[in-house]
Amino acid sequence: MTVSSQQLANAVRALTMDAVQAANSGHPGMPMGMADAATVLFRDYLKFDPAQPKWADRDRFVLSAGHGSMLIYALLHLTGYERPTLDDIRNFRQLGSPCAGHPENFELAGIEATTGPLGSGFATAVGMAIAERHLNAVFGNDLVDHRTWVIAGDGCLMEGINHEAVGLAGHLKLGRLNVLWDDNRITIDGAVDLSSSENIIARYDASGWHTVACDGHDADDIARALGEAQADPRPSLIACRTIIGYGAPNKQGTSATHGSPLGADEIKAARQVLAWESPDFELPETIVAAWREIGARGAAARDDWEDRLANHSDRDEFTRRMDGRLPEGFSLDAYQADLIASPQKVATRRASELALGAINDLLPETIGGSADLTGSNNTKTKAQAPLTADNYGGRYIYYGIREFGMGCAMNGMALHGGVIPYGGTFLVFSDYCRPAIRLSALQQTRAIYVMTHDSIGLGEDGPTHQPIEHVMSLRLMPNLDVYRPADTIETAECWALALARQDGPSLLALSRQNLPQVRDDASENLSAKGAYRLRAATAARKVVLIASGSEVEIALTVADTLEAKGVGADVVSMPCWSRFDAQPRAYQDDVLPDVLPSEILRVSIEAGTTIGWERYTMSRGLRFGIDGFGASAPAPDLYRHFGLTPDIIAPQILAALEQNGS
Amino acid sequence: MTVSSQQLANAVRALTMDAVQAANSGHPGMPMGMADAATVLFRDYLKFDPAQPKWADRDRFVLSAGHGSMLIYALLHLTGYERPTLDDIRNFRQLGSPCAGHPENFELAGIEATTGPLGSGFATAVGMAIAERHLNAVFGNDLVDHRTWVIAGDGCLMEGINHEAVGLAGHLKLGRLNVLWDDNRITIDGAVDLSSSENIIARYDASGWHTVACDGHDADDIARALGEAQADPRPSLIACRTIIGYGAPNKQGTSATHGSPLGADEIKAARQVLAWESPDFELPETIVAAWREIGARGAAARDDWEDRLANHSDRDEFTRRMDGRLPEGFSLDAYQADLIASPQKVATRRASELALGAINDLLPETIGGSADLTGSNNTKTKAQAPLTADNYGGRYIYYGIREFGMGCAMNGMALHGGVIPYGGTFLVFSDYCRPAIRLSALQQTRAIYVMTHDSIGLGEDGPTHQPIEHVMSLRLMPNLDVYRPADTIETAECWALALARQDGPSLLALSRQNLPQVRDDASENLSAKGAYRLRAATAARKVVLIASGSEVEIALTVADTLEAKGVGADVVSMPCWSRFDAQPRAYQDDVLPDVLPSEILRVSIEAGTTIGWERYTMSRGLRFGIDGFGASAPAPDLYRHFGLTPDIIAPQILAALEQNGS
């Protein structure tokens, strides 16, 4: 007996209704509306193998409208992935279930990306499509030849990030990217035309996309549209005209189905409409069998691919890169040895460029870029040709003025695997891509943010361009390593740590202005400990100066002044809070002696907000920083203006010591 | 002698070249490229009066491409504004000069908006245009009848925010908004086509805009295009085809003119090309006179307007609103008295809605809205009809899924004056509009952010939707008051404070879940102090519990447990850090006694990051919070999971006391 597309889709609808009802929370409207389109996609187009969810050459599927998470949970279960089980789905949105409110890539092998923040999944998929074309250029069709599919809603398309993603994908002619737009004309507040009058198709046309429309509840029409999209060399937008909550007779077509359970009565009525007779969470065997057959469809292609890989001359390198392992023996030791031999006084953005020179020669998997600040972020090295529509093999992306799009694209590349993306902008514009950085952290992607012009040290551009709260606010973000290196050596160390880390993002805050090389030894990666004693007190220790980045130089001069007065002062360089907090207590206590402030005064110096530094200075320590907005002037004038020069700081420390002593 | 448009424009070019050269820093390319278009705008179209920069019915002009700040400084000086003086311009980008690297609205009366973060000025102008139409609907043509003009560059148009701004303006049919696009085909990294292949005109057409192109160096053609734009009932994009750095013979048309001084030789060459014979910073008298005449053009219209205002029945109300003063006697006392009489256990988002019910009846100047979460943010009250293209008199904006666009629009409305904007989204999506929030703080606008679903208390939606670091990261932002009220009374107090504040933004972090009313007295606005002793210890005080928002309830229960064991515990509710930090030291010491932790243990409880709380708990205090990402589950399960229930917290406090005592 043949199972119809409609029946297949109704299995998705039934699981959705039941799971949302059981959780008494969730979003039934989207999965029910897009069940037909998703069924056709999985049945006829998507290349996947539930037995090998991480098969490198699988198609990527991203549910950008992540609130409709039951759609993907149902599809993964029905096609035969090991997880989620039916029990997992029964526990939708409960503690411990991998079926979280929104899809989480770390919960289920079949989830390619964490989605929910609208528009970000779509933009992440752009990065996946870039990685695919790049690896195809490097390794050829035999190993890399797949597509990226997206389901996106009106919210994904209305968010600003969509403009950036569409622009980037259109410019790079990512024909392997196909987006199914759930054109249900409903948002949470009501009809889309309450807030938008846009001709979306025309906008996509304007950005070099192929567009096609279909009846999102007519399987044949969907299949036609997907076929056209697959055949077209441009990225495609497939407008699927749907009814939100399709099948719920009294609520469908309204925002009432969007984010609340349908209720027992409506579910009962929907079961009648859909001719779905199985009890809650039960699935007819024939339908399960048909779905499993769909799931089994990709095994042959995967087998063939495995054979091709086994015999491929690039097998080891391809596998290494897809595993995310750095090459055996990768090290920056030689580069650092040169620096020790010939110390350099350069901006840390320039130190980063120098380190990248070595890195990009040693690591073919890096793909750099900048949001239109290449010369300022110092992100491009000689090894890197531009990655363009004509040369996907290039390793440098001109992202344009698209910080958020860049961040999401980096996430997509990292999630795809096989490449290590890094990208630059000014640190103050981390605000523009903050949602992407958070998704890097949550998704545990190795995305590396190169954020230059990291304080008032950038000078004349003024308060709109001067980060004050940014470094600290980024330190608050879970699973993000924020580095603020002090010189060439620390910059290289931080780069090495960022590259070695496989389970999360790193962000480098780098100076515009030149900084002296404060390290004369690179035998150990001291930045790995987050903070370390850069210089020990000579006289009896009364002060510990803690600084990061460009203020380490200042701390050293302050120490000189204090020592000249017989006051012993350690200087602690602290490039990374999260790493220091992860050290053993004994190490922490050695670096920051845990004694009363009346005995040893702790002092922080950082050209940014002081809130937060109480963590290390203790309450009665001193904190030198900036708690208001910056100003426009040459950097040295600003450092004086904000009281961040040794001659202003040292006397205050001496005064505090005197007061404590009295 | 008639002064040609070209000569007028060359005065702008000369001042630009000289100022950037003197500062050895800045962006000459844009002002030189757009000098002709700006000259025609100021000469023939812009309604302004340098003698009265704050004339309410002036046209608003926003330099969205803020890096080209010398353009506006030159124009303001030439047309006769009191500031900047020629000396101010000589000190371009120096400490103390109002001619900052980027235009700052608080530095010069003629600067309508702080710009520089690309795309934000354009989006801010959308808000100005909304305010204009709204006030026109309320007060009529006699008092409000002006336009909003913008100069934007390719960066402004490529940023995601542009999509949101364009969509909102097109949807609301803001025909009074006219944007001059500096179509110079150059970005910092090089040609625009390095990163973009978009047909920008087609995109604007798709969003309901009128579009027109002109030769940006042909005054007659510019005038024609501006005339068409002014006549068209839709918002207009005027594509001005220009050459960046126009007049610098060897560098024009390249990104070399964008962000660096031209150099003495090139300036000399440009002076020849432009036939500009005056020495540095000097201006021919005839040209100054011609510019001053342009500046004098608006005085008559302003006089007429003053007459109309003087005789207008709405004079006092209009003046009050444009001055930003709340109505005499505005108070929420009656509303709060009702709450004291009948305490309510509701979510603070609902408490906010209740407060808004009173506020919106009393204050006709509020304009609410939400980024498509009206029912969740509880931002719409009965008094508010939607503000639409058909009814600009409405007071509620369906912003669509455009958080950043909403924030910028609110800034624009507040900068325009006459209205008090507030807008809602989920707190976690403060990340999406963080650049707008920062610009609210920097520009000192009374924009009020209503951010609901403020912790893991939102439950099942999971980590993508659960703010962890957000409240703390927003507290770091200078000049932003972040409120996290605990109940109905505090919510009303925070609203009153946000509305009363004229020099900066406020952000309310509100719960999704119900919270008991913890206050039984509303005779004094205790939230005004930022933190206060909600309940004093009964037994001898050994503990001070500090909590905010939904965790105040938990702190009270913890206190009960401790008191039952004979351990005295104060409960301090701390809705606003910045306000507490501004209190006199004596008050701070009374609320948080400044004694050694071995004597009184300070404990913070907040369902968010603990970093930062050392400020108030002191280093050896205890901090209960969440330093990783959230999870998907019902809220009570999550509070248990993350250890934030009284039965988990109280024993740890007792153990710490025992350890300290030993």
Side-chain angles (χ1 to χ4, degrees):
Chain A
M1 186 188 101
T2 316
V3 175
S4 73
S5 176
Q6 168 91 30
Q7 285 171 301
L8 292 168
N10 285 346
V12 172
R13 293 191 174 98
L15 283 176
T16 296
M17 291 191 294
D18 294 346
V20 173
Q21 189 68 21
N24 193 28
S25 151
H27 301 76
M30 197 286 257
M32 295 177 73
M34 282 298 283
D36 297 310
T39 296
V40 174
L41 173 63
F42 273 64
R43 188 190 64 188
D44 300 344
Y45 288 94
L46 194 75
K47 181 167 82 168
F48 70 112
D49 181 356
Q52 294 286 345
K54 295 302 179 196
W55 170 26
D57 200 33
R58 72 193 180 279
D59 283 359
R60 269 50 170 189
F61 170 68
V62 175
L63 187 72
S64 187
H67 53 274
S69 55
M70 267 311 303
L71 180 69
I72 181 72
Y73 299 147
L75 290 165
L76 294 178
H77 175 70
L78 290 166
T79 54
Y81 283 78
E82 189 181 347
R83 299 287 289 269
T85 63
L86 205 51
D87 270 352
D88 292 333
I89 291 177
R90 278 180 202 275
N91 287 315
F92 177 55
R93 293 182 156 237
Q94 306 307 304
L95 205 57
S97 169
C99 296
H102 291 78
E104 308 287 358
N105 68 314
F106 50 87
E107 294 281 7
L108 289 167
I111 303 288
E112 302 284 1
T114 288
T115 52
L118 291 177
S120 63
F122 186 132
T124 302
V126 172
M128 294 178 179
I130 292 171
E132 191 273 343
R133 281 296 85 187
H134 176 76
L135 293 169
N136 172 275
V138 174
F139 293 103
N141 281 332
D142 278 358
L143 296 187
V144 184
D145 183 19
H146 55 269
R147 292 173 195 284
T148 303
W149 301 88
V150 177
I151 289 182
D154 285 295
C156 295
L157 271 53
M158 210 184 294
E159 289 282 5
I161 178 64
N162 190 249
H163 173 47
E164 301 185 14
V166 168
L168 193 57
H171 179 66
L172 293 177
K173 298 190 169 67
L174 300 173
R176 297 300 183 102
L177 176 65
N178 297 315
V179 177
L180 287 79
W181 163 34
D182 179 15
D183 179 17
N184 61 28
R185 306 193 184 173
I186 290 292
T187 74
I188 292 175
D189 275 358
V192 167
D193 60 17
L194 205 59
S195 58
S196 177
S197 308
E198 185 194 351
N199 179 338
I200 288 175
I201 295 290
R203 173 165 68 93
Y204 277 69
D205 287 341
S207 287
W209 282 57
H210 160 250
T211 55
V212 56
C214 67
D215 176 342
H217 300 300
D218 176 333
D220 292 341
D221 203 37
I222 297 164
R224 172 196 58 79
L226 293 181
E228 280 183 33
Q230 183 159 294
D232 197 280
R234 295 165 291 177
S236 291
L237 181 77
I238 305 127
C240 303
R241 185 72 185 89
T242 63
I243 295 168
I244 190 170
Y246 184 89
N250 305 302
K251 294 188 174 180
Q252 68 179 20
T254 75
S255 55
T257 67
H258 168 77
S260 309
L262 295 177
D265 290 349
E266 182 72 358
I267 291 176
K268 195 172 165 194
R271 280 183 139 78
Q272 281 193 322
V273 168
L274 301 172
W276 188 266
E277 291 167 7
S278 307
D280 293 3
F281 290 111
E282 289 189 23
L283 299 163
E285 266 178 43
T286 50
I287 287 180
V288 171
W291 267 115
R292 291 293 147 88
E293 211 170 290
I294 291 169
R297 188 172 53 81
R302 200 254 306 155
D303 274 345
D304 289 349
W305 182 87
E306 302 274 8
D307 287 346
R308 291 199 299 277
L309 176 66
N311 298 306
H312 202 286
S313 58
D314 288 335
R315 184 190 58 188
D316 292 348
E317 176 67 358
F318 180 79
T319 306
R320 177 188 76 75
R321 287 183 56 172
M322 290 305 295
D323 288 351
R325 286 178 280 116
L326 299 182
E328 288 283 334
F330 165 75
S331 148
L332 296 177
D333 289 354
Y335 162 70
Q336 292 189 327
D338 287 347
L339 289 175
I340 296 299
S342 312
Q344 303 243 22
K345 178 171 182 166
V346 294
T348 48
R349 62 175 170 149
R350 170 72 178 145
S352 169
E353 182 182 11
L354 294 170
L356 278 171
I359 292 162
N360 288 335
D361 285 347
L362 296 168
L363 299 184
E365 57 263 52
T366 53
I367 295 188
S370 166
D372 198 45
L373 289 168
T374 295
S376 299
N377 301 143
N378 299 52
T379 33
K380 188 169 182 301
T381 67
K382 285 194 185 136
Q384 294 173 310
L387 189 161
T388 65
D390 298 325
N391 178 23
Y392 289 121
R395 289 172 56 199
Y396 192 83
I397 301 179
Y398 289 106
Y399 283 106
I401 301 117
R402 304 183 180 106
E403 298 83 6
F404 192 2
M406 175 177 73
C408 288
M410 292 206 293
N411 284 335
M413 285 188 259
L415 288 167
H416 181 282
V419 297
I420 300 178
Y422 70 86
T425 185
F426 289 155
L427 178 60
V428 81
F429 299 132
S430 61
D431 280 355
Y432 270 65
C433 54
R434 198 171 165 97
I437 301 172
R438 190 171 207 257
L439 281 168
S440 304
L442 182 57
Q443 296 183 100
Q444 305 169 13
T445 63
R446 178 162 47 185
I448 303 176
Y449 294 87
V450 181
M451 300 290 198
T452 69
H453 297 57
D454 77 343
S455 74
I456 54 164
L458 65 86
E460 293 88 345
D461 272 347
T464 53
H465 283 56
Q466 288 164 359
I468 296 294
E469 70 278 21
H470 298 76
V471 166
M472 192 65 74
S473 78
L474 289 160
R475 286 176 180 141
L476 306 180
M477 202 178 275
N479 200 39
L480 172 67
D481 285 333
V482 178
Y483 294 101
R484 191 161 184 262
D487 73 351
T488 52
I489 298 292
E490 281 194 7
T491 303
E493 289 176 342
C494 295
W495 260 112
L497 296 167
L499 290 164
R501 182 170 191 213
Q502 292 196 35
D503 63 351
S506 302
L507 183 146
L508 282 74
L510 303 171
S511 78
R512 172 179 188 245
Q513 73 273 32
N514 286 345
L515 302 175
Q517 188 170 312
V518 297
R519 285 272 293 281
D520 55 11
D521 177 17
S523 56
E524 182 187 356
N525 186 330
L526 295 172
S527 299
K529 297 184 171 175
Y532 62 93
R533 189 174 296 118
L534 174 64
R535 187 199 289 173
T538 307
R541 182 170 62 184
K542 292 300 250 175
V543 175
V544 176
L545 299 164
I546 315 164
S548 81
S550 42
E551 285 67 69
V552 171
E553 172 188 14
I554 295 171
L556 288 167
T557 309
V558 170
D560 290 340
T561 306
L562 297 177
E563 294 275 355
K565 305 232 176 209
V567 175
D570 282 359
V571 175
V572 171
S573 179
M574 188 177 253
C576 182
W577 281 31
S578 52
R579 286 193 161 265
F580 182 69
D581 289 349
Q583 297 306 306
R585 180 67 188 262
Y587 178 79
Q588 294 173 342
D589 286 348
D590 179 60
V591 174
L592 300 181
D594 191 21
V595 294
L596 288 179
S598 55
E599 293 172 31
I600 294 186
L601 183 70
R602 296 192 196 173
V603 178
S604 66
I605 311 175
E606 187 173 74
T609 181
T610 62
I611 298 181
W613 273 108
E614 289 90 349
R615 189 178 191 90
Y616 302 114
T617 63
M618 306 180 64
S619 314
R620 298 187 191 208
L622 297 181
R623 290 164 291 281
F624 294 93
I626 306 171
D627 289 313
F629 288 106
S632 173
D637 295 351
L638 292 176
Y639 270 86
R640 259 193 307 281
H641 176 70
F642 288 107
L644 293 175
T645 57
D647 57 313
I648 302 175
I649 292 171
Q652 294 178 69
I653 294 173
L654 291 169
L657 286 173
E658 200 157 315
Q659 202 173 5
N660 284 356
S662 70
Chain B
M1 188 187 102
T2 316
V3 176
S4 73
S5 176
Q6 168 90 31
Q7 285 172 300
L8 291 168
N10 286 347
V12 173
R13 293 191 173 98
L15 282 176
T16 296
M17 291 192 292
D18 293 345
V20 173
Q21 188 68 21
N24 194 28
S25 151
H27 301 77
M30 195 286 256
M32 295 178 74
M34 282 298 283
D36 297 311
T39 296
V40 174
L41 172 63
F42 273 63
R43 187 191 63 187
D44 300 345
Y45 289 94
L46 194 75
K47 181 167 79 170
F48 71 111
D49 181 356
Q52 294 286 344
K54 295 303 178 195
W55 169 26
D57 200 33
R58 72 194 181 277
D59 283 0
R60 268 49 169 189
F61 170 69
V62 176
L63 187 72
S64 188
H67 53 273
S69 56
M70 266 312 302
L71 181 68
I72 180 73
Y73 299 146
L75 291 165
L76 293 179
H77 174 71
L78 290 165
T79 54
Y81 283 79
E82 189 181 347
R83 301 286 291 269
T85 62
L86 205 51
D87 270 352
D88 291 334
I89 291 177
R90 278 180 202 275
N91 286 314
F92 178 54
R93 293 182 156 237
Q94 306 307 304
L95 205 57
S97 170
C99 296
H102 291 79
E104 308 287 358
N105 69 313
F106 50 87
E107 294 281 8
L108 288 167
I111 303 287
E112 302 284 0
T114 288
T115 53
L118 291 177
S120 63
F122 186 133
T124 301
V126 172
M128 294 178 179
I130 292 172
E132 191 273 343
R133 281 296 86 187
H134 175 76
L135 293 169
N136 173 273
V138 174
F139 293 102
N141 281 332
D142 277 358
L143 296 188
V144 184
D145 182 20
H146 55 270
R147 294 174 192 282
T148 303
W149 301 87
V150 177
I151 288 182
D154 284 295
C156 295
L157 271 53
M158 210 184 294
E159 290 282 4
I161 178 63
N162 190 247
H163 172 49
E164 301 185 13
V166 168
L168 192 57
H171 179 67
L172 293 176
K173 298 190 170 66
L174 300 173
R176 297 299 183 104
L177 176 66
N178 297 314
V179 177
L180 287 78
W181 162 35
D182 179 14
D183 179 18
N184 61 28
R185 307 194 184 173
I186 290 293
T187 74
I188 292 175
D189 275 358
V192 167
D193 62 15
L194 204 61
S195 58
S196 178
S197 308
E198 185 195 351
N199 179 338
I200 288 175
I201 295 291
R203 173 165 68 92
Y204 277 70
D205 286 342
S207 288
W209 281 56
H210 159 251
T211 55
V212 57
C214 67
D215 177 343
H217 300 300
D218 177 333
D220 292 342
D221 203 36
I222 295 163
R224 172 197 57 79
L226 294 181
E228 280 184 31
Q230 184 159 295
D232 197 279
R234 295 165 291 177
S236 291
L237 181 76
I238 305 128
C240 304
R241 185 74 185 89
T242 64
I243 296 168
I244 189 171
Y246 184 89
N250 305 302
K251 295 189 173 178
Q252 68 179 19
T254 75
S255 55
T257 67
H258 167 77
S260 309
L262 295 176
D265 290 348
E266 182 72 358
I267 291 176
K268 195 173 164 193
R271 281 183 138 76
Q272 282 195 320
V273 168
L274 301 172
W276 187 265
E277 292 165 7
S278 307
D280 293 3
F281 290 111
E282 289 187 24
L283 299 163
E285 267 178 44
T286 51
I287 288 181
V288 171
W291 267 116
R292 290 294 146 87
E293 212 170 291
I294 291 170
R297 188 172 51 80
R302 201 253 305 154
D303 274 346
D304 289 349
W305 182 88
E306 301 275 8
D307 287 346
R308 290 199 299 276
L309 176 65
N311 300 304
H312 202 285
S313 59
D314 288 336
R315 185 190 58 189
D316 291 349
E317 175 68 359
F318 180 78
T319 305
R320 177 189 75 76
R321 287 183 57 172
M322 290 306 295
D323 287 352
R325 285 178 281 116
L326 301 182
E328 287 285 332
F330 166 73
S331 150
L332 295 176
D333 288 354
Y335 163 69
Q336 292 189 328
D338 287 347
L339 289 174
I340 296 299
S342 313
Q344 303 242 23
K345 179 172 181 166
V346 294
T348 47
R349 61 175 172 149
R350 169 74 178 142
S352 170
E353 182 183 9
L354 293 171
L356 278 170
I359 291 163
N360 288 336
D361 285 346
L362 295 168
L363 299 183
E365 57 262 53
T366 54
I367 295 188
S370 166
D372 198 44
L373 289 168
T374 295
S376 299
N377 301 144
N378 299 52
T379 32
K380 189 170 181 301
T381 66
K382 284 190 187 143
Q384 294 173 311
L387 189 161
T388 65
D390 298 326
N391 178 23
Y392 289 120
R395 289 172 56 198
Y396 191 83
I397 300 179
Y398 289 106
Y399 282 106
I401 301 118
R402 303 183 181 107
E403 297 83 7
F404 193 2
M406 175 177 73
C408 288
M410 291 205 294
N411 284 334
M413 285 188 260
L415 288 167
H416 182 283
V419 298
I420 300 178
Y422 69 85
T425 185
F426 289 156
L427 179 60
V428 83
F429 298 132
S430 62
D431 281 355
Y432 270 65
C433 54
R434 196 172 167 95
I437 301 173
R438 189 170 208 259
L439 282 169
S440 304
L442 183 57
Q443 296 183 101
Q444 305 169 13
T445 63
R446 178 163 45 184
I448 303 175
Y449 294 87
V450 181
M451 300 291 197
T452 70
H453 296 58
D454 77 343
S455 73
I456 53 164
L458 66 87
E460 292 87 346
D461 272 346
T464 52
H465 283 57
Q466 289 165 358
I468 297 294
E469 71 278 22
H470 298 75
V471 166
M472 191 65 74
S473 77
L474 290 161
R475 286 175 180 142
L476 306 179
M477 203 178 275
N479 199 37
L480 171 68
D481 285 333
V482 178
Y483 294 100
R484 191 162 183 261
D487 73 350
T488 52
I489 297 292
E490 280 194 6
T491 303
E493 289 175 342
C494 295
W495 261 113
L497 295 167
L499 291 164
R501 182 171 191 216
Q502 292 196 36
D503 63 351
S506 302
L507 184 146
L508 282 74
L510 303 171
S511 78
R512 174 180 187 245
Q513 73 273 30
N514 286 345
L515 302 175
Q517 188 170 313
V518 297
R519 285 273 292 282
D520 54 11
D521 177 19
S523 56
E524 182 187 355
N525 186 329
L526 295 171
S527 300
K529 296 183 172 175
Y532 62 92
R533 189 175 295 117
L534 174 65
R535 186 199 289 174
T538 307
R541 183 171 63 185
K542 292 300 254 175
V543 175
V544 175
L545 299 164
I546 315 164
S548 81
S550 42
E551 284 68 67
V552 171
E553 172 187 14
I554 296 171
L556 288 167
T557 310
V558 170
D560 289 341
T561 306
L562 297 177
E563 294 275 355
K565 306 234 175 207
V567 175
D570 283 358
V571 175
V572 170
S573 179
M574 188 177 252
C576 181
W577 281 31
S578 52
R579 284 192 162 267
F580 182 69
D581 288 350
Q583 296 307 306
R585 180 67 188 264
Y587 178 79
Q588 294 173 343
D589 285 349
D590 179 61
V591 173
L592 300 181
D594 190 21
V595 295
L596 287 179
S598 55
E599 294 173 31
I600 295 186
L601 183 69
R602 296 192 196 173
V603 178
S604 67
I605 311 176
E606 186 173 74
T609 181
T610 62
I611 299 180
W613 273 108
E614 289 91 349
R615 190 178 190 88
Y616 302 114
T617 64
M618 305 180 66
S619 314
R620 298 186 189 206
L622 297 181
R623 289 163 292 281
F624 294 94
I626 306 171
D627 288 313
F629 288 107
S632 172
D637 294 353
L638 292 176
Y639 269 86
R640 259 193 306 280
H641 177 71
F642 288 106
L644 293 175
T645 57
D647 57 312
I648 302 176
I649 291 172
Q652 294 178 69
I653 294 173
L654 291 168
L657 286 174
E658 199 157 315
Q659 202 174 4
N660 284 357
S662 70

